[in-house]
Amino acid sequence: MSDRPGGAPRRDVELTIDGAAVRVSEGTTILQACRGLKIDTPTLCYLETLTPVNVCRVCVVEVEGSRVLVPACSRPVEPKMVVRTDSERVRLSRKLVLELLASSVDLSLVSDEVKGHMKRYAARPERFGPKAATVAQPPKIDNDLYIRDYSKCILCYKCVEACGKDAQNTFAIAVAGRGFDARISTESGRPLTDSACVYCGNCIGVCPTGALMFKSEYDMRRAGTWDESKQTQTDTICPYCGVGCTLQLRVQENRIVKVTSPLDHDVTNGHLCIKGRFGWQFVQNRTPQEVK
């Protein structure tokens, strides 16, 4: 049982989810309660280490007495709340959200989990026809560390959150524009290279669609050599300072192809600095004699 600010213990809250009586701590979200019951609830803009922003609406559920569907990722449970996660209204809403996203954005690199949700809700983005409006555009390549392909961007805000108060506190990017003109932008729309970006790459670490990608991965995908089935993962500690960040090295054909950090790591919460995420080339520049 967690404590509230001021030392008062959290109370238990009783509610019903899909007909099952549940008891959870005060402050628990509906999504957390659902996961406690092993109810598969789709999410796109949600990540455990970031503040929920409720923009994708794919996690919505039906709450008895509520006029509209509510986002499970941010709505706290309430006493005697009655939640339905798989009603016809919920299924239709989730299906439509997925269809609208997939008809306007390239979702070819989303996780198998998201692809499973598309199948589960029988989403058919093709029903909007070949002339459906899209955000298709060429990738932006202006540095050697990572690329930005906004044809894959679903505006989930995760990169904005990670660049801002949830991780890096740089605030180099935000969402600008509305409708199909809505986009991730730097301050005053200036080039990334002239912005406040410090190239930590934490935006890449949280991107769910591949809109932000290591330049090394992008180059290998274009060359047709990116093959995750041939990749291994080695956990190590970053050598650059005394913080002790865990690095997960993804290696293919004896070369590091990208570096991440686990979300559940107490120090990083999945985030790294520019040295930890990108400063591994020196390993590969060593001669076989130096390695020995």
Side-chain angles (χ1 to χ4, degrees):
M1 181 179 292
S2 307
D3 289 343
R4 292 183 293 180
R10 291 185 184 274
R11 298 168 297 185
D12 283 347
V13 175
E14 296 183 2
L15 69 154
T16 303
I17 301 178
D18 292 343
V22 188
R23 181 191 291 265
V24 295
S25 296
E26 180 184 25
T28 300
T29 64
I30 295 175
L31 177 64
Q32 291 169 329
C34 288
R35 289 183 171 177
L37 291 175
K38 308 297 183 187
I39 296 174
D40 183 19
T41 306
T43 61
L44 283 172
C45 70
Y46 175 79
L47 193 65
E48 292 85 345
T49 56
L50 302 177
T51 304
V53 289
N54 316 320
V55 293
C56 78
R57 314 296 293 187
V58 78
C59 71
V60 292
V61 296
E62 195 168 1
V63 173
E64 197 168 281
S66 175
R67 182 178 60 86
V68 298
L69 299 175
V70 303
C73 66
S74 63
R75 178 71 175 268
V77 298
E78 299 169 14
K80 300 181 180 178
M81 181 181 268
V82 177
V83 179
R84 286 183 282 273
T85 71
D86 198 36
S87 66
E88 181 177 353
R89 188 182 178 195
V90 169
R91 290 195 301 272
L92 177 62
S93 178
R94 291 176 177 175
K95 173 183 177 180
L96 184 58
V97 167
L98 291 168
E99 287 179 335
L100 289 173
L101 284 174
S103 67
S104 58
V105 177
D106 176 6
L107 297 183
S108 59
L109 297 184
V110 295
S111 66
D112 290 341
E113 183 181 9
V114 175
K115 291 175 181 174
H117 292 145
M118 296 281 291
K119 185 178 296 184
R120 172 183 172 187
Y121 294 103
R124 295 189 306 108
E126 67 275 10
R127 72 187 177 95
F128 295 108
K131 295 184 179 180
T134 75
V135 293
Q137 56 190 283
K140 297 181 184 299
I141 306 172
D142 52 17
N143 66 85
D144 293 331
L145 302 181
Y146 68 93
I147 66 97
R148 297 169 290 153
D149 185 353
Y150 292 133
S151 68
K152 296 182 173 66
C153 178
I154 59 171
L155 292 174
C156 68
Y157 280 63
K158 284 181 176 176
C159 58
V160 176
E161 299 273 283
C163 184
K165 61 181 176 60
D166 282 347
Q168 189 61 29
N169 284 288
T170 295
F171 302 96
I173 53 176
V175 175
R178 297 181 64 83
F180 275 90
D181 188 44
R183 63 201 181 279
I184 302 298
S185 176
T186 58
E187 65 271 24
S188 303
R190 66 185 57 182
L192 184 69
T193 49
D194 296 334
S195 74
C197 177
V198 296
Y199 295 91
C200 62
N202 288 324
C203 52
I204 306 174
V206 298
C207 180
T209 62
L212 301 169
M213 182 183 293
F214 281 79
K215 179 69 161 44
S216 53
E217 178 178 348
Y218 175 77
D219 289 341
M220 291 178 69
R221 286 186 182 275
R222 290 201 66 188
T225 57
W226 181 261
D227 188 348
E228 294 186 2
S229 67
K230 295 181 179 177
Q231 294 175 11
T232 58
Q233 178 179 303
T234 300
D235 288 9
T236 186
I237 302 299
C238 182
Y240 281 109
C241 74
V243 174
C245 297
T246 292
L247 305 181
Q248 293 179 323
L249 312 181
R250 311 296 175 91
V251 178
Q252 180 178 330
E253 296 175 350
N254 206 32
R255 294 186 65 82
I256 299 171
V257 292
K258 71 176 182 181
V259 175
T260 59
S261 188
L263 288 178
D264 60 355
H265 188 261
D266 291 340
V267 176
T268 70
N269 287 325
H271 307 303
L272 293 169
C273 71
I274 182 173
K275 293 180 180 177
R277 194 176 298 277
F278 296 112
W280 36 265
Q281 284 81 3
F282 75 95
V283 177
Q284 296 173 171
N285 290 338
R286 300 170 70 188
T287 64
Q289 290 73 24
E290 290 173 324
V291 172
K292 292 178 180 177

